[in-house]
Amino acid sequence: MRFPTCTATIFTAFLATAGGLVGGGASAWGADTTSAMLASAYDKQVKPLLNTYCAACHGTEKQKGDVDFSTVKDGEQALGQLPLWKSALAKLTDQEMPPSKEKKQPSDAERQTMQAWMRALKRLQPPDPGPFIIRRLARVEYDNSIRDLFGVDLKAGSDLPTDVPGEGFGNTVSPLLMEKYLIAADDILDRLILPDQYHLTSPAGQLGAIIAGVPEEGKPDGKERVFTSPAELTTVLSIPAEGTYSIRIKAGAEQVGKEPVRIGIRFDGQFVQELKVLAPTKRPAVYTCSTKLVTGKTRFSVVFINPVADIDLPPAAPAAPAGTGKKTPAGTAPKPAPVAKPATPAKPAAPAADPSKAANRTLLIESIEIVGPPAGFVGEAQRRVFVALPGKDVAKRDAAQKIAQAFAYRAYRRPPTDLEIQALLKIFDLADGQDEVFNESIKLMLKAVLVSPQFLYRTPDDRVEAKDPVVPLGDYELASRLSYFLWATMPDDELFKLAKDGKLHEPETLAAQVKRLLKDPRAHALAENFAAPWLGLDKVADTTLDEKKFPGVTKDMRQALADEGLTFFDGMMREGGSVLDFIDCDYAYMNGITAKLYGIDSVKGPKMQKVHLDDKNRGGAATMPGVLMVTSTPNRTSPVKRGKWVLEQLLGASPPPPPPNVPALDKQDTPENAKLTLRQKTERHRDDPACVGCHRVMDPIGFGLENFDAIGRWRDRDDTGGAVDAIGELPGKQRFSSPSELKKILMGRKDEFLRTFTGKLLAFALGRKLVGYDEVVVEDLVEQMAKDEYKLDVVIGRIVASYPFRNRQNLH
C-alpha cells in the first residue's frame, strides 16, 4: 500500500509524546516504514498504558463489553484491529473509559498518546474515493434544475416526497414516485410550451375510408377519393388546444334526382354540421364549417349522407288497339317512340320502389383542411427550448434533432450520445406519425428527457479506461458535483463552458469557481440543505408547542427562527467567518420578531440583521432560539434533548438508543416524583444502570442550557418558580455553572467539533456516509483549518479539492 505524503499534525504530535521511540518526519513515511513505526510504538508505549489502565476490565480475567486487549499480543497484530481501536478511541475521547469511579486514571498526556496512536492507524489505508453512488435528484434539486433548465421557477416538484440531499439519502424510484415524475413532466411542459396553431391539410386519398361497410386504408401518394356508394372518410386527430376549429372540404358531385349531394361532418360519432355539395366534380369547390373542440384525441369523419337517389321515370305509352289511333299522313313515316336512358344500377341493399328506379350519386372529395385557433404568446421558456423550427429550408425532423441535442445537453449535464439522441427522435417520430402538431411532438420528446435516468440521476461520465480501478471525475461530472453541492442545481453556462473546454479540473480554475459559486445568491441552498438539517432548524415550522403557554410563537416567528440560523451560516460563508463561531461568538442574526427573545428592543423590521451581543451567555449555535425550541418538549425544556443535540451535532458523539424497557421521563409522573424538580427527576432517571452511561454526559450539558426556556428566552427561574440550576460537571472534572462556562468547555474540545463539522460537510458533498479513507481526509482537512483561521469558505474549497470529491471508483 502507498501512504499519502501529506503532513499529519496529529501523527506528529503522537510521535512527540512517544518519547523518541520512533524517528523520521512525515515526508519520509512510506507504507512499510509507517506500519513498522506504529507497531513499535504500540509495543513500547501504548500497550503498557492499556495494561495499566484497562486490563483489569478488558483482559484475561474480565472482558466487559466483549473487549479483551490481552488477545492483541504485539504491534503487528494490533495493526489489524482497526474496529477495536476505533471504538476505544471514541470511549477515550468522551472520557467514558476508564470509568470515573476507577482510581487509576491516565494523565492528559497519556490519554493523548493513546488517542494519537489510534487516530494514526487510519493512515495505513490507501487513498480510496469510497463507494461511488449514482445519486437521484432530491426534491429541492429537481425543483432547482427545472428552474434553471427552463428559466422559470415553477416549484414543479411540490407533489414529490420531501427528502434532503446528502448522507443517508434514499436513491430508489418506486412506481408511485415514477408516476409523480410523469405527472410533473406533463404539468411542466403544458405550462411552458404552448401549442402552435393546428393546421392539417391532407389529400382525401391519404386518409382512411369505410366504403359500403369495408375499411380501406389511405395511400401515401393518394389524391382525391370518389364515392358512388355509402361511404365515410375518417381519421383520428390530435387536438392540441381547446377552441374553435375550421373545417374546409374541397369537393364536387354528380347530382342525381331532385336532392343535392349532402355530406355530414362528424366528431366522435356526433354530427356537428351538414353541407350540400353543389359544385360539379370537374370544378370542385371549398365547403366550410366550424365547431368547438377540446384537447385530446378525436375521430373525425366526413359521411356521404345520401349516396342513393330515387328517380321517377315517365310511364311508357300504351299500345293502340287495332283499327284505332291516329293515322300518319300519307307519305310520312311514323316517329319512333322515345327510348329512356337506362338508370345506374342500384345496390341490392337499396331496392327501388316500383315504378321508380334507384340511381347512385357521385361524391368526389379532393382534400380536407382543418385549422385551429391562433397560437398563444410564446414565452421565454419556449424560445429557450425551441432552438430550431421547421420551415422552408428545415425539415421537422431536423429541427427536432437540434432541439433534442441542445435540451439533452443541459438536462443530462453532459453531451448526449448518438444513441440517446436517436432514442429521443424515435419518440418524436411516434408522435409526428400520429399527426401531432410539431410542438406536441416536441413535448412528448422532452417528457422522455424529464423522466429519464439521465436527468433524474446524476449519472457518471463513462468515457474512461476500464482498466483503472479509480478514475478522476470528468469535467462535466465535476461540474455537476460542484454545482449540486453548493447550489443544489445543475451547472450554469460558465461551468458548462469550462467543462466543454476541459479546464474545470485544473486546480486554479476549480478554486476560482468555488469562490464564484459561493458569492452567488444560489449558494444559500447550502445553508438550506446542509445547515438547516444539521442544526435541526428544518424542524422549527412543525415543532409542537403549547399554544396557551407560548401564544406569541406565530408562523412568522417560526420562519424567523429558522432564518436566523441560515443567515448565520450564510454570513459566515460569504464573509470568511470562523466555523468555531458555531461553538461561541459575540454576535447573532435577528429581526424585529426574534430580537424580543433576546431581550433586545433596538432591532426593528422583518430583515435579518447582524447584532453584537454583550451577554456572554448568548452566541453560538447551541443558544439560538430555534435550536433551543426544537430540543424542547411542547410545554417545557428538555435537558436530555439539548444535551443529546450538543453531543451529536457539535461533538460527533451519538449516544445509543435508550433501552426498550425504560419509560420516558414524562411517563414517570408517579406520586413519589410529583414533588421533584426537573433536575431531580432526571437524576433519578439516570440512576438506572442501563441509562447512566449516556446520561451522565448528556444531561449535565443540557442543564447547562436551562437558563433558556422552550423558545430561547432567558430566565432565572424555572417553571416551578425555583431558581434555575445550571451547574454541571463533565467527565474529567470539567465543572460549569452557566451557558458561557459550558461554551468555554466545548471550545476546549474544538478538535472534536472540527472533525464532526468537517465530516458532516464532506458526507453532504459526497452524498454518502463516510467510510475508510474518508476519515484520513477529514483529519487532513482539520489539520489545515487552523492554518486557514477556520474560515468556512476555505473549508468548502478544500473539500472540493479533496481526493474523494475529485475521484471515483470505476464502474467497469
Side-chain angles (χ1 to χ4, degrees), residues 136-350:
R136 177 174 62 82
L137 298 184
R139 185 173 79 171
V140 63
E141 295 171 328
Y142 177 90
D143 268 341
N144 292 345
S145 297
I146 292 295
R147 176 199 66 199
D148 293 343
L149 193 57
F150 291 98
V152 180
D153 192 2
L154 298 175
K155 301 298 182 187
S158 57
D159 289 335
L160 299 177
T162 301
D163 47 22
V164 178
E167 178 184 357
F169 176 76
N171 245 1
T172 58
V173 175
S174 66
L176 179 59
L177 180 55
M178 178 50 70
E179 183 178 349
K180 289 182 178 293
Y181 281 132
L182 289 166
I183 293 171
D186 280 334
D187 181 61
I188 292 165
L189 297 172
D190 287 344
R191 291 166 66 183
L192 295 182
I193 298 179
L194 299 177
D196 49 7
Q197 186 175 29
Y198 186 87
H199 196 160
L200 170 68
T201 300
S202 176
Q206 295 181 13
L207 302 179
I210 301 174
I211 304 172
V214 179
E216 181 180 297
E217 293 184 359
K219 297 179 180 180
D221 58 349
K223 297 181 180 179
E224 73 277 353
R225 277 193 181 272
V226 178
F227 303 118
T228 59
S229 60
E232 177 181 349
L233 191 66
T234 183
T235 188
V236 175
L237 306 178
S238 295
I239 303 302
E242 183 174 350
T244 300
Y245 285 72
S246 298
I247 299 99
R248 300 168 186 158
I249 301 172
K250 191 172 185 180
E254 292 182 4
Q255 310 292 343
V256 176
K258 299 178 181 179
E259 185 181 40
V261 168
R262 293 182 293 124
I263 57 175
I265 309 303
R266 190 164 65 183
F267 285 93
D268 289 333
Q270 299 293 320
F271 280 101
V272 298
Q273 187 77 38
E274 182 180 305
L275 302 172
K276 295 178 181 180
V277 181
L278 303 177
T281 56
K282 292 182 179 180
R283 293 189 303 276
V286 175
Y287 298 89
T288 304
C289 70
S290 62
T291 187
K292 289 186 177 180
L293 298 175
V294 297
T295 304
K297 298 286 186 182
T298 184
R299 178 166 288 280
F300 166 72
S301 303
V302 178
V303 181
F304 193 178
I305 294 177
N306 58 341
V308 179
D310 291 338
I311 302 176
D312 295 329
L313 298 179
T324 62
K326 295 182 178 179
K327 293 184 178 179
T328 303
T332 303
K335 293 181 179 181
V339 178
K341 294 181 180 180
T344 304
K347 290 181 64 65

Side-chain angles (χ1 to χ4, degrees), residues 679 703 705-708 715-719 721-727 737:
R679 176 182 279 273
F703 277 110
L705 299 170
E706 267 295 278
N707 281 111
F708 301 108
R715 61 180 185 171
D716 294 313
R717 295 193 172 275
D718 61 21
D719 293 339
V724 169
D725 183 359
I727 298 174
S737 59

Side-chain angles (χ1 to χ4, degrees), residues 568-718:
F568 187 91
F569 185 93
D570 245 359
M572 185 185 298
M573 181 174 63
R574 299 180 193 281
E575 299 170 7
S578 168
V579 299
L580 295 181
D581 288 353
F582 284 115
I583 298 178
D584 193 14
C585 62
D586 61 357
Y587 66 91
Y589 286 87
M590 61 189 76
N591 65 7
I593 299 175
T594 57
K596 298 175 182 178
L597 301 178
Y598 284 88
I600 295 176
D601 298 325
S602 59
V603 177
K604 308 293 182 182
K607 186 178 180 180
M608 282 290 160
Q609 305 169 43
K610 188 175 182 179
V611 178
H612 176 76
L613 300 173
D614 294 322
D615 184 356
K616 295 187 181 300
N617 288 309
R618 292 283 190 178
T623 66
M624 290 180 181
V627 172
L628 293 165
M629 176 191 290
V630 299
T631 54
S632 297
T633 66
N635 58 4
R636 63 166 177 80
T637 60
S638 173
V640 175
K641 286 185 176 183
R642 290 178 175 179
K644 183 174 182 285
W645 183 92
V646 171
L647 287 177
E648 289 184 334
Q649 308 308 327
L650 299 186
L651 301 179
S654 299
N661 296 325
V662 178
L665 192 64
D666 289 341
K667 298 186 181 300
Q668 299 181 28
D669 291 332
T670 63
E672 184 182 357
N673 291 342
K675 299 180 181 180
L676 300 179
T677 65
L678 179 59
R679 176 182 279 273
Q680 290 170 333
K681 290 179 181 179
T682 305
E683 289 173 347
R684 175 169 290 191
H685 180 70
R686 65 174 183 262
D687 284 343
D688 191 320
C691 304
V692 66
C694 298
H695 283 271
R696 74 186 187 93
V697 178
M698 192 159 52
D699 296 356
I701 294 175
F703 277 110
L705 299 170
E706 267 295 278
N707 281 111
F708 301 108
D709 72 3
I711 59 173
R713 295 174 298 195
W714 181 265
R715 61 180 185 171
D716 294 313
R717 295 193 172 275
D718 61 21

